[in-house]
Amino acid sequence: MIQNVQTNPVPGLKPDYAGGGIVNLMASIIGALGGRSAYPGAALLPAPDLAGATNLMLLVIDGLGDAWLRHRSPDGLLSRHRRGALTSTFPSTTATAIPSFLTGDGPLQHGLTGWYTWFAELACVMTVLPGTPRYGGVPYRRAGLDPRRLFWSRPLTERIRTRSLIVTPKRIAGSDFNQAHSGPAQVLGYADLPDLFRQTARALRRDRGRKYLYCYWPELDSIGHHQGMNSPTAAIHLREIEQALTDFLAAAAGTDTLILVTADHGQVDTGPADVIDLADHPELAECLMLPLCGEPRAAFCYLRAGRESAFLEYCRGPLGTLVDVCPSAELVAAGYFGRGRPHPRFAERIGDYCLLPRDHRILRQLLPYEEPRALIGQHGGLSATELLVPLCVLQA
């Protein structure tokens, strides 16, 4: 049993599951639509504030950090309608936060702890969103697996009493992950940004009954990864999003639609000097039973038997100025992943220790035949830039 656990075992912010996080926003939405959540609603937007709208629309803009939005577009549409900031999940990444949007559960319940998650029941490190083993291969269903049996949480759309629609890119609309998390919702696949809002407006006009709409836009995150969030392209794309949203408000006028805009995480820009490559630290790599899991900004370490002392000595010695190291169980006890009943395999999904690179550093460990990916924007850690996302509220 863990004794004397600190509130913040590692430097940085801590996800808020008591009323200030995206999981609490989802609890407000669930409550407003006739369902129940084990988490309290969001302090910025309680369930009663949402209950009166005929249509409730949640737009998740992947990669839209709160500080970045306020810096890049202080007088833009989203900043003018910003209610405040919410914390993302931990790790602050799409593979962990999007399941929370789709289920209403914290990571402790849905059990998806990063882009690379160890599934002991499959004896495999999985890329959970594509649904393929890290080393390559076919997705869940083509391998003969039913992904719904791997995911413990019920889709949010099964927990509410309102008709639901999910509006998502065509290329992922029918993915195993989306099918397992869509429940009874109607799924609409779109081609581009105008088509996202065109199909959403059409759905609002076609059926005047009460609806919940979940809309997901990934392009800003992609731009951040490949060109950086400080790039002109990212700023231009934000203006494109705000213009498309302005046009949508006009197209949806009279439908009594309340639009909530938020994100799964922000990003920090990194460079080659920020990479901590385990190929340069063989003493550390030899302590590991599995490749690093989780994220480059929050890596879960599975240790070989008898190597804990050597692992800690190396992390606090040669890497002592570069990373923070914390027992994963302490992060659980301190509430970084949520609260309440855990996923039955959660302890298996976070390893023995978590490494959190300091400043803008990232950890990299390549499998044989993997090529380095020179991604600029990164996320997953506990910095304010990554963890804080905006909550904007607009009325059509």
Side-chain angles (χ1 to χ4, degrees):
M1 181 175 293
I2 298 169
Q3 301 291 335
N4 300 320
V5 176
Q6 298 178 355
T7 302
N8 288 298
V10 291
L13 297 179
K14 179 181 175 183
D16 185 349
Y17 298 99
I22 61 172
V23 173
N24 305 111
L25 174 63
M26 302 317 295
S28 289
I29 290 173
I30 291 169
L33 299 178
R36 300 183 66 179
S37 171
Y39 285 89
L44 287 174
L45 200 59
D49 292 1
L50 305 176
T54 301
N55 300 299
L56 188 55
M57 172 179 164
L58 176 66
L59 171 61
V60 175
I61 301 174
D62 199 325
L64 181 68
D66 183 62
W68 185 84
L69 170 66
R70 290 184 287 115
H71 172 70
R72 285 292 189 171
S73 185
D75 301 316
L77 176 69
L78 292 176
S79 289
R80 294 199 309 271
H81 290 87
R82 175 182 173 274
R83 286 280 180 95
L86 300 170
T87 65
S88 182
T89 57
F90 178 71
S92 52
T93 185
T94 305
T96 303
I98 292 298
S100 287
F101 284 122
L102 292 175
T103 65
D105 287 336
L108 188 64
Q109 283 75 47
H110 63 61
L112 301 179
T113 55
W115 181 256
Y116 295 128
T117 297
W118 166 244
F119 279 71
E121 63 270 44
L122 302 181
C124 186
V125 176
M126 299 294 292
T127 56
V128 294
L129 296 182
T132 56
R134 178 175 177 178
Y135 60 78
V138 297
Y140 301 114
R141 290 184 188 276
R142 287 179 60 192
L145 300 171
D146 182 353
R148 291 172 297 184
R149 299 180 63 180
L150 295 175
F151 303 127
W152 196 48
S153 292
R154 293 173 61 201
L156 181 147
T157 56
E158 291 182 359
R159 303 171 62 180
I160 60 178
R161 301 177 182 176
T162 307
R163 183 183 172 212
S164 305
L165 293 93
I166 291 176
V167 188
T168 194
K170 282 183 180 178
R171 68 179 186 274
I172 62 172
S175 71
D176 290 347
F177 176 87
N178 274 347
Q179 288 188 27
H181 287 88
S182 297
Q186 179 184 1
V187 178
L188 302 176
Y190 63 79
D192 52 24
L193 186 63
D195 194 36
L196 182 162
F197 288 112
R198 187 183 307 116
Q199 293 211 41
T200 304
R202 191 176 300 151
L204 291 171
R205 296 288 184 189
R206 185 169 54 239
D207 178 3
R208 292 304 182 113
R210 197 176 194 209
K211 293 179 293 299
Y212 168 66
L213 302 96
Y214 168 83
C215 305
Y216 171 65
W217 177 249
E219 186 61 25
L220 181 64
D221 179 72
S222 180
I223 290 171
H225 281 313
H226 293 97
Q227 300 186 49
M229 293 302 291
N230 292 321
S231 66
T233 307
I236 291 169
H237 187 59
L238 175 60
R239 291 197 291 272
E240 293 172 344
I241 292 172
E242 293 193 311
Q243 183 59 57
L245 186 54
T246 299
D247 296 341
F248 171 74
L249 290 173
T255 61
D256 187 27
T257 301
L258 189 64
I259 304 157
L260 316 179
V261 182
T262 190
D264 50 352
H265 58 75
Q267 288 192 13
V268 294
D269 282 1
T270 66
D274 294 312
V275 178
I276 305 169
D277 195 327
L278 261 63
D280 300 325
H281 302 275
E283 298 94 332
L284 181 64
E286 288 173 2
C287 295
L288 302 179
M289 181 178 67
L290 295 175
L292 293 175
C293 293
E295 297 285 335
R297 296 275 299 155
F300 298 116
C301 303
Y302 294 77
L303 303 186
R304 294 180 185 273
R307 301 308 299 270
E308 183 175 22
S309 295
F311 170 81
L312 291 175
E313 183 178 345
Y314 196 87
C315 290
R316 292 166 179 166
L319 292 184
T321 62
L322 306 180
V323 302
D324 292 298
V325 58
C326 183
S328 296
E330 287 195 13
L331 294 172
V332 175
Y336 279 73
F337 300 100
R339 59 192 199 180
R341 182 186 177 192
H343 187 285
R345 292 189 173 271
F346 188 81
E348 300 171 357
R349 309 249 174 113
I350 54 173
D352 301 294
Y353 285 86
C354 182
L355 292 181
L356 289 153
R358 294 179 184 173
D359 302 320
H360 287 191
R361 295 182 178 90
I362 60 171
L363 284 157
R364 181 172 71 192
Q365 184 183 24
L366 299 177
L367 299 187
Y369 311 111
E370 284 184 340
E371 295 294 331
R373 300 177 66 197
L375 299 181
I376 299 173
Q378 298 280 355
H379 51 80
L382 292 169
S383 71
T385 305
E386 298 161 272
L387 195 63
L388 294 180
V389 297
L391 174 61
C392 310
V393 182
L394 305 93
Q395 180 77 45

mmCIF file of all heavy atoms in Angstrom, residues 211-229:
data_model
loop_
_atom_site.group_PDB
_atom_site.id
_atom_site.type_symbol
_atom_site.label_atom_id
_atom_site.label_comp_id
_atom_site.label_asym_id
_atom_site.label_seq_id
_atom_site.Cartn_x
_atom_site.Cartn_y
_atom_site.Cartn_z
ATOM 1 N N LYS A 211 -31.464 16.646 -30.203
ATOM 2 C CA LYS A 211 -30.319 15.858 -30.650
ATOM 3 C C LYS A 211 -29.067 16.258 -29.878
ATOM 4 O O LYS A 211 -28.922 17.390 -29.419
ATOM 5 C CB LYS A 211 -30.063 16.079 -32.140
ATOM 6 C CG LYS A 211 -31.140 15.554 -33.048
ATOM 7 C CD LYS A 211 -30.843 15.819 -34.502
ATOM 8 C CE LYS A 211 -30.887 17.284 -34.854
ATOM 9 N NZ LYS A 211 -32.186 17.901 -34.627
ATOM 10 N N TYR A 212 -28.149 15.288 -29.800
ATOM 11 C CA TYR A 212 -26.787 15.544 -29.348
ATOM 12 C C TYR A 212 -25.867 15.250 -30.512
ATOM 13 O O TYR A 212 -25.945 14.188 -31.144
ATOM 14 C CB TYR A 212 -26.418 14.658 -28.158
ATOM 15 C CG TYR A 212 -24.939 14.669 -27.833
ATOM 16 C CD1 TYR A 212 -24.319 15.827 -27.374
ATOM 17 C CD2 TYR A 212 -24.163 13.519 -27.999
ATOM 18 C CE1 TYR A 212 -22.962 15.841 -27.089
ATOM 19 C CE2 TYR A 212 -22.804 13.526 -27.706
ATOM 20 C CZ TYR A 212 -22.204 14.686 -27.254
ATOM 21 O OH TYR A 212 -20.862 14.699 -26.976
ATOM 22 N N LEU A 213 -24.985 16.189 -30.824
ATOM 23 C CA LEU A 213 -24.066 16.035 -31.947
ATOM 24 C C LEU A 213 -22.635 16.167 -31.438
ATOM 25 O O LEU A 213 -22.287 17.166 -30.784
ATOM 26 C CB LEU A 213 -24.319 17.096 -33.023
ATOM 27 C CG LEU A 213 -25.718 17.146 -33.626
ATOM 28 C CD1 LEU A 213 -26.553 18.203 -32.920
ATOM 29 C CD2 LEU A 213 -25.656 17.442 -35.118
ATOM 30 N N TYR A 214 -21.832 15.155 -31.742
ATOM 31 C CA TYR A 214 -20.405 15.182 -31.426
ATOM 32 C C TYR A 214 -19.652 15.337 -32.739
ATOM 33 O O TYR A 214 -19.776 14.489 -33.646
ATOM 34 C CB TYR A 214 -19.987 13.896 -30.716
ATOM 35 C CG TYR A 214 -18.482 13.717 -30.608
ATOM 36 C CD1 TYR A 214 -17.761 14.324 -29.592
ATOM 37 C CD2 TYR A 214 -17.791 12.936 -31.533
ATOM 38 C CE1 TYR A 214 -16.383 14.172 -29.503
ATOM 39 C CE2 TYR A 214 -16.412 12.762 -31.445
ATOM 40 C CZ TYR A 214 -15.717 13.387 -30.432
ATOM 41 O OH TYR A 214 -14.353 13.237 -30.353
ATOM 42 N N CYS A 215 -18.890 16.425 -32.870
ATOM 43 C CA CYS A 215 -18.154 16.714 -34.099
ATOM 44 C C CYS A 215 -16.664 16.792 -33.786
ATOM 45 O O CYS A 215 -16.255 17.422 -32.802
ATOM 46 C CB CYS A 215 -18.618 18.036 -34.707
ATOM 47 S SG CYS A 215 -20.395 18.134 -35.004
ATOM 48 N N TYR A 216 -15.861 16.187 -34.629
ATOM 49 C CA TYR A 216 -14.420 16.094 -34.374
ATOM 50 C C TYR A 216 -13.657 16.610 -35.581
ATOM 51 O O TYR A 216 -13.885 16.177 -36.720
ATOM 52 C CB TYR A 216 -14.047 14.635 -34.087
ATOM 53 C CG TYR A 216 -12.562 14.370 -34.019
ATOM 54 C CD1 TYR A 216 -11.771 14.934 -33.006
ATOM 55 C CD2 TYR A 216 -11.940 13.559 -34.970
ATOM 56 C CE1 TYR A 216 -10.402 14.691 -32.959
ATOM 57 C CE2 TYR A 216 -10.572 13.308 -34.910
ATOM 58 C CZ TYR A 216 -9.814 13.880 -33.908
ATOM 59 O OH TYR A 216 -8.473 13.641 -33.853
ATOM 60 N N TRP A 217 -12.706 17.555 -35.322
ATOM 61 C CA TRP A 217 -11.885 18.114 -36.391
ATOM 62 C C TRP A 217 -10.404 17.929 -36.045
ATOM 63 O O TRP A 217 -9.902 18.482 -35.082
ATOM 64 C CB TRP A 217 -12.196 19.584 -36.608
ATOM 65 C CG TRP A 217 -11.320 20.201 -37.657
ATOM 66 C CD1 TRP A 217 -10.337 21.118 -37.488
ATOM 67 C CD2 TRP A 217 -11.344 19.889 -39.066
ATOM 68 N NE1 TRP A 217 -9.738 21.410 -38.691
ATOM 69 C CE2 TRP A 217 -10.337 20.661 -39.678
ATOM 70 C CE3 TRP A 217 -12.113 19.023 -39.850
ATOM 71 C CZ2 TRP A 217 -10.092 20.606 -41.046
ATOM 72 C CZ3 TRP A 217 -11.861 18.968 -41.218
ATOM 73 C CH2 TRP A 217 -10.867 19.748 -41.796
ATOM 74 N N PRO A 218 -9.640 17.144 -36.858
ATOM 75 C CA PRO A 218 -8.267 16.785 -36.491
ATOM 76 C C PRO A 218 -7.157 17.592 -37.151
ATOM 77 O O PRO A 218 -5.988 17.414 -36.807
ATOM 78 C CB PRO A 218 -8.189 15.333 -36.955
ATOM 79 C CG PRO A 218 -9.040 15.315 -38.193
ATOM 80 C CD PRO A 218 -10.156 16.300 -37.949
ATOM 81 N N GLU A 219 -7.461 18.472 -38.097
ATOM 82 C CA GLU A 219 -6.422 19.021 -38.955
ATOM 83 C C GLU A 219 -5.444 19.939 -38.216
ATOM 84 O O GLU A 219 -4.251 19.970 -38.539
ATOM 85 C CB GLU A 219 -7.062 19.771 -40.129
ATOM 86 C CG GLU A 219 -6.077 20.266 -41.163
ATOM 87 C CD GLU A 219 -5.275 19.147 -41.832
ATOM 88 O OE1 GLU A 219 -5.769 18.006 -41.874
ATOM 89 O OE2 GLU A 219 -4.159 19.427 -42.299
ATOM 90 N N LEU A 220 -5.926 20.702 -37.223
ATOM 91 C CA LEU A 220 -5.014 21.593 -36.501
ATOM 92 C C LEU A 220 -3.920 20.789 -35.808
ATOM 93 O O LEU A 220 -2.746 21.172 -35.808
ATOM 94 C CB LEU A 220 -5.786 22.435 -35.482
ATOM 95 C CG LEU A 220 -4.945 23.422 -34.671
ATOM 96 C CD1 LEU A 220 -4.327 24.486 -35.582
ATOM 97 C CD2 LEU A 220 -5.787 24.089 -33.581
ATOM 98 N N ASP A 221 -4.286 19.671 -35.215
ATOM 99 C CA ASP A 221 -3.306 18.795 -34.571
ATOM 100 C C ASP A 221 -2.281 18.302 -35.580
ATOM 101 O O ASP A 221 -1.074 18.263 -35.291
ATOM 102 C CB ASP A 221 -4.028 17.621 -33.922
ATOM 103 C CG ASP A 221 -3.088 16.645 -33.239
ATOM 104 O OD1 ASP A 221 -2.539 16.997 -32.183
ATOM 105 O OD2 ASP A 221 -2.897 15.530 -33.758
ATOM 106 N N SER A 222 -2.733 17.919 -36.761
ATOM 107 C CA SER A 222 -1.827 17.426 -37.794
ATOM 108 C C SER A 222 -0.854 18.515 -38.227
ATOM 109 O O SER A 222 0.352 18.258 -38.400
ATOM 110 C CB SER A 222 -2.637 16.917 -38.987
ATOM 111 O OG SER A 222 -1.788 16.441 -40.008
ATOM 112 N N ILE A 223 -1.352 19.722 -38.389
ATOM 113 C CA ILE A 223 -0.476 20.841 -38.753
ATOM 114 C C ILE A 223 0.556 21.072 -37.659
ATOM 115 O O ILE A 223 1.746 21.279 -37.935
ATOM 116 C CB ILE A 223 -1.312 22.116 -38.991
ATOM 117 C CG1 ILE A 223 -2.136 21.970 -40.274
ATOM 118 C CG2 ILE A 223 -0.409 23.350 -39.077
ATOM 119 C CD1 ILE A 223 -3.154 23.079 -40.466
ATOM 120 N N GLY A 224 0.112 21.036 -36.404
ATOM 121 C CA GLY A 224 1.042 21.227 -35.301
ATOM 122 C C GLY A 224 2.134 20.177 -35.277
ATOM 123 O O GLY A 224 3.312 20.478 -35.063
ATOM 124 N N HIS A 225 1.765 18.917 -35.516
ATOM 125 C CA HIS A 225 2.755 17.849 -35.517
ATOM 126 C C HIS A 225 3.815 18.058 -36.599
ATOM 127 O O HIS A 225 5.014 17.875 -36.358
ATOM 128 C CB HIS A 225 2.085 16.496 -35.739
ATOM 129 C CG HIS A 225 1.428 15.935 -34.517
ATOM 130 N ND1 HIS A 225 2.047 15.902 -33.290
ATOM 131 C CD2 HIS A 225 0.205 15.377 -34.334
ATOM 132 C CE1 HIS A 225 1.230 15.348 -32.399
ATOM 133 N NE2 HIS A 225 0.111 15.028 -33.006
ATOM 134 N N HIS A 226 3.390 18.442 -37.789
ATOM 135 C CA HIS A 226 4.298 18.451 -38.927
ATOM 136 C C HIS A 226 4.949 19.805 -39.193
ATOM 137 O O HIS A 226 6.054 19.858 -39.747
ATOM 138 C CB HIS A 226 3.561 17.973 -40.180
ATOM 139 C CG HIS A 226 3.154 16.536 -40.113
ATOM 140 N ND1 HIS A 226 1.881 16.150 -39.740
ATOM 141 C CD2 HIS A 226 3.846 15.395 -40.327
ATOM 142 C CE1 HIS A 226 1.809 14.827 -39.743
ATOM 143 N NE2 HIS A 226 2.983 14.349 -40.089
ATOM 144 N N GLN A 227 4.289 20.895 -38.789
ATOM 145 C CA GLN A 227 4.855 22.220 -39.048
ATOM 146 C C GLN A 227 5.067 23.045 -37.791
ATOM 147 O O GLN A 227 5.754 24.068 -37.843
ATOM 148 C CB GLN A 227 3.962 22.995 -40.022
ATOM 149 C CG GLN A 227 3.796 22.291 -41.369
ATOM 150 C CD GLN A 227 3.027 23.133 -42.359
ATOM 151 O OE1 GLN A 227 3.323 24.309 -42.556
ATOM 152 N NE2 GLN A 227 2.013 22.539 -42.981
ATOM 153 N N GLY A 228 4.495 22.604 -36.684
ATOM 154 C CA GLY A 228 4.640 23.334 -35.435
ATOM 155 C C GLY A 228 3.474 24.259 -35.172
ATOM 156 O O GLY A 228 2.887 24.833 -36.100
ATOM 157 N N MET A 229 3.110 24.406 -33.898
ATOM 158 C CA MET A 229 2.011 25.297 -33.545
ATOM 159 C C MET A 229 2.407 26.765 -33.679
ATOM 160 O O MET A 229 1.548 27.645 -33.726
ATOM 161 C CB MET A 229 1.538 25.014 -32.118
ATOM 162 C CG MET A 229 0.887 23.651 -31.948
ATOM 163 S SD MET A 229 -0.556 23.370 -33.016
ATOM 164 C CE MET A 229 -1.748 24.514 -32.304
#
